[in-house]
Structure formats: C-alpha cells, structure tokens
Amino acid sequence: MKALWAQMKFQKDLILTGTLVMLGMFVFGTILHDVILVSGDEVDSVFCMGSFMALIVMCMMMFFFAGIHMVQIFNYAVAMGQTRKRTFPLYTIATFLTFAVLELILKLMNVLEKWRLGRMFPGLEIEDFLEEVIGFNALLAFALVGTAIGVLLGASISRFGKAAFWVWWVLFMVVCIGGPRLTHYVTEDYPDSPFVTWVNGVLAFVMAHAEAVGVAAVIAATVIFTGIAYLLVRRQQVNV
C-alpha cells in the first residue's frame, strides 16, 4: 500500500491539471449554452453542454496526457532503483485510480449542471445523453480502457520516442474525423455492397448482445493494450 500511495503522489499533478482543465471547459460550455439559448429561437429543451465539454477533456487526459506523464514518472521510478516488474503494475493501478477520481468529478459536475438547468429553466426538458455514459458500468469501462491506452501510449513514446506520439495522434484524428466520413460515404453511395451488408450484420449482432460484447471488448482491450505496454517497457532503457 505504501508503494501504491507513493505512485498516487506522482499522479497528483495529473489529477490537479485534469480537474482544472475540466472545470474550465465546464464553465465555458455552460456559458456558451446559455448564450446560445438566450440569443436563439424559442426552445423546449436544454442540453448539459458543460458536462459534455468536460467529458471531452477527460477523454483527452486518458488517451494522451496520461501517456506523456508516464514517460516521466515511470522512467524516474526505474532510474531510482525500482524494478520494471514492480513499477509497471503499481503505475497502472495508480493511473486507473486517477481516472476514477476524474470520473467522479465529472459525475459531480453533471449533477450540478442538471440541478442548475432545472432551477434556471423550469419546465424545459433536460437533454443529458451523459446519463448513460457516466453510469457506473460505463465509467468503469472508460477507466479500464483509458488506463490501458494511456500506458500503451506512454510505453510507445518511451520505446520509440516522440515519433510514436505523432503516430498515435494521426491515428486518433483519422478515427475521429475520417471514420464517420468514410462510413457516411460507403453507406450512402454503396448501400448494397457486401462490405455494408457485413457491417450491418455485425452491428445487428452487437446490438442483440450489447452487454456481453461490451464486457468482452473492454476486457480484451484492457488485457491486450496493457500486455503490449509491458512488453515494450520491460527491457527499455530509461532516460531522466
């Protein structure tokens, strides 16, 4: 427990930075929402935009900042004499707990925002798609997969240098921007193609067995990403 607590102390900067940035985006989203609402036409619902903006920041913290943070903290611990075999699981657990803290803060922000919207705009429906996203099961899944991706990113940077970060960044942008466009292009222009038929079949299967598929995907991603990360760092030389 002492070793884990020591690792958590290393994570305090990540927690503090994540909290401040999330809070800043939460306030920005809240102000932007109210400005749009007041200046727009008559509406019959309001949206938890502040929580949505904070969620985006939290995902960025999971997928990128945790990886960059790992390069410094993990290398420092190993350079100070700790073994990789001991340091890696402790760091991974500490990172998971860090994300759990950030998710709790996000949950509190969401509760506060719904309370505010209910008081300021009584009678209007509150649209909150985060109600399912930040449920216990979803938060646990996000924390597990986010931790695995974070340590994999950190291990990649430690092993291959800054080039690995830019490869991950390009991959992230391709998935986020190119993925939806490619999907729209294929489904609109080639709706009867074998590929679209296969994708629809896969989606139908996933929807029919959503819970089981989701659990299996989270476990597989967590184990595979974390395992690859450990293989990358177990013999890697450290630079402090």
Side-chain angles (χ1 to χ4, degrees):
M1 289 299 295
K2 290 183 178 179
L4 179 59
W5 178 247
Q7 283 290 339
M8 286 301 298
K9 288 183 179 179
F10 288 136
Q11 299 277 357
K12 64 181 180 181
D13 291 339
L14 188 62
I15 295 175
L16 179 59
T17 302
T19 301
L20 291 177
V21 177
M22 287 171 60
L23 181 60
M25 293 303 293
F26 176 80
V27 173
F28 172 75
T30 298
I31 295 175
L32 179 63
H33 170 272
D34 290 358
V35 169
I36 294 175
L37 192 68
V38 172
S39 60
D41 298 329
E42 184 177 351
V43 296
D44 55 5
S45 64
V46 290
F47 177 62
C48 294
M49 186 175 292
S51 303
F52 176 73
M53 301 290 280
L55 173 64
I56 294 176
V57 171
M58 189 185 73
C59 290
M60 294 294 292
M61 294 292 295
M62 284 184 172
F63 298 150
F64 290 101
F65 293 105
I68 298 173
H69 188 257
M70 176 186 172
V71 176
Q72 300 174 339
I73 301 305
F74 185 83
N75 287 353
Y76 176 79
V78 174
M80 293 299 292
Q82 296 185 24
T83 63
R84 293 170 178 80
K85 187 175 181 179
R86 176 178 173 81
T87 302
F88 183 81
L90 288 174
Y91 180 84
T92 302
I93 294 172
T95 302
F96 171 80
L97 294 176
T98 296
F99 288 145
V101 171
L102 294 178
E103 289 175 340
L104 176 60
I105 294 172
L106 175 64
K107 180 70 174 179
L108 293 176
M109 288 180 179
N110 183 247
V111 172
L112 176 62
E113 184 169 29
K114 288 192 288 187
W115 177 84
R116 184 191 72 86
L117 292 174
R119 297 301 183 276
M120 292 186 64
F121 306 100
L124 296 182
E125 178 186 358
I126 300 177
E127 297 182 12
D128 182 25
F129 83 98
L130 295 177
E131 187 172 349
E132 294 295 331
V133 174
I134 59 177
F136 175 78
N137 292 336
L139 290 179
L140 178 60
F142 285 155
L144 287 171
V145 176
T147 299
I149 293 177
V151 296
L152 178 57
L153 175 60
S156 301
I157 297 174
S158 180
R159 181 69 173 82
F160 303 108
K162 294 181 180 180
F165 172 82
W166 293 112
V167 170
W168 276 92
W169 176 257
V170 170
L171 179 62
F172 177 79
M173 297 304 294
V174 167
V175 171
C176 293
I177 299 178
R181 292 185 178 181
L182 177 61
T183 301
H184 177 78
Y185 172 76
V186 173
T187 54
E188 290 293 327
D189 292 0
Y190 304 97
D192 300 322
S193 67
F195 175 74
V196 173
T197 302
W198 177 78
V199 170
N200 289 334
V202 171
L203 291 177
F205 175 82
V206 170
M207 294 302 296
H209 307 83
E211 185 173 351
V213 172
V215 171
V218 168
I219 293 175
T222 302
V223 172
I224 292 173
F225 294 162
T226 306
I228 295 175
Y230 177 70
L231 292 176
L232 289 174
V233 300
R234 65 175 181 172
R235 297 184 182 277
Q236 175 62 22
Q237 296 294 323
V238 299
N239 297 305
V240 179

